[in-house]
Amino acid sequence: MKLFGVIGKPVMHSLSPVMMNAAFQAQGVDAVYLPFQVEPGDLVDALQGLRAIGAVGINVTIPHKLGVYQWVSARTEEARQAGAVNVVRFTPTGAVGHNTDVGGWWASVAPFLGEGSLRAAILGAGGSVQAILTALAGERPGSEVLVCCRRPEQAEALAARYGEWLSVRHVPWPDRHEAIARADLVVQCTPIGMWPHGDESPVEAPDCFQAHQVVQDIVYRPLHTVFLRQAEARGAKVVDGASMLIWQGVKAYEWWLEREAPVEVMQRAVYEALEREEASGHA
């Protein structure tokens, strides 16, 4: 039996085991996918241990994406551009680091976007934003990206990293509503509104949303965040955070196994799990 898993802290809440094990079962793959909670100080030992027991591949989540990036012996172009690794494949010659957050995020929003460059407003400047900017740099070069965050140095670092392909500008957090109103694409990348604070939103003036916009919240617990409900009420097309989780998983599955993933099975597993959580009051 092949061993796969996800490492992080916290990690026991991850929906990746539900999604990946459903995919293995649907395709008759003799494999199991398990969560492994790993302290930052134990990261190297954990990676070496997984390699030693014959693990085929792992997903990597907070707070290990940068540490794993430094540990792997080879990196794909997506990983290098994003500066982070969220998936590893163990091989006889070493561990290869990849980043499926880039393609996974793009797959989640691309069906709803028109052609040509975009004006995007991003709330937050954390690790997920680099994957989004990497995708925009590759798929929509020339786009303008307004990064709304409290620390200007974070946005300035992103502007320096992606300035060859994108026009990245800092927007002070108090001015985020004006930035949202000017955007074609709005992506919420802060933890605001995440369970157990599901009654919160980073938007205090919902009239900033426009009917022509595509609006995504990468928070997926709860699935229907206040932020998304605000945008939907204004006529915007909304994209939930679970879609990015699913598509990065689809791309990881295909990279590991070199076969087409059962996308509908994986989608059903994640959404059913989230709906059960919401029904029980735990998301």
Side-chain angles (χ1 to χ4, degrees):
M1 176 178 283
K2 296 182 175 72
L3 172 64
F4 296 85
V6 55
I7 65 170
K9 186 189 178 186
V11 77
M12 302 314 290
H13 69 291
S14 173
L15 290 175
S16 291
V18 170
M19 174 173 61
M20 292 298 190
N21 286 320
F24 293 148
Q25 184 176 8
Q27 294 195 330
V29 177
D30 186 21
V32 65
Y33 185 106
L34 301 172
F36 299 99
Q37 184 149 306
V38 176
E39 298 286 341
D42 296 331
L43 178 60
V44 172
D45 287 344
L47 292 166
Q48 290 174 339
L50 285 164
R51 180 172 60 186
I53 63 175
V56 177
I58 56 168
N59 284 115
V60 183
T61 188
I62 293 170
H64 298 313
K65 292 183 182 183
L66 296 180
V68 173
Y69 180 87
Q70 294 167 349
W71 180 82
V72 294
S73 53
R75 305 173 187 90
T76 65
E77 184 61 25
E78 290 90 344
R80 285 192 293 271
Q81 289 178 348
V85 160
N86 80 310
V87 58
V88 173
R89 182 168 60 202
F90 297 104
T91 75
T93 57
V96 181
H98 185 36
N99 192 303
T100 61
D101 285 335
V102 176
W105 174 76
W106 182 249
S108 74
V109 299
F112 312 109
L113 298 172
E115 299 296 324
S117 59
L118 300 164
R119 175 174 286 170
I122 296 179
L123 305 185
S128 59
V129 177
Q130 288 194 188
I132 290 170
L133 294 184
T134 299
L136 288 173
E139 302 290 347
R140 290 289 190 273
S143 292
E144 179 183 4
V145 183
L146 308 174
V147 178
C148 309
C149 62
R150 301 184 190 279
R151 293 169 52 196
E153 63 271 19
Q154 289 181 301
E156 289 163 5
L158 293 169
R161 184 180 185 95
Y162 295 97
E164 182 178 345
W165 307 279
L166 302 168
S167 173
V168 180
R169 293 198 299 110
H170 173 243
V171 174
W173 187 250
D175 299 333
R176 64 195 181 281
H177 297 93
E178 290 86 346
I180 291 171
R182 297 173 54 202
D184 309 305
L185 170 66
V186 183
V187 189
Q188 204 293 102
C189 296
T190 79
I192 299 172
M194 183 184 296
W195 186 86
H197 304 289
D199 59 345
E200 298 178 2
S201 170
V203 167
E204 298 169 358
D207 59 353
C208 63
F209 291 114
Q210 311 294 322
H212 71 276
Q213 293 174 327
V214 175
V215 178
Q216 183 181 44
D217 195 335
I218 67 167
V219 169
Y220 59 84
R221 280 188 170 100
L223 186 60
H224 308 290
T225 61
V226 173
F227 176 81
L228 288 183
R229 296 202 303 269
Q230 290 171 326
E232 192 169 36
R234 295 281 297 170
K237 172 62 184 177
V238 300
V239 182
D240 62 60
S243 60
M244 179 178 176
L245 170 75
I246 293 163
W247 282 107
Q248 68 78 26
V250 165
K251 292 182 181 298
Y253 185 96
E254 293 179 343
W255 186 64
W256 285 326
L257 298 179
E258 298 181 332
R259 65 191 296 174
E260 188 173 347
V263 177
E264 292 183 2
V265 169
M266 297 168 80
Q267 289 172 327
R268 185 164 58 250
V270 169
Y271 285 116
E272 286 180 354
L274 287 171
E275 287 165 5
R276 286 194 299 270
E277 287 183 5
E278 289 197 357
S280 66
H282 292 300

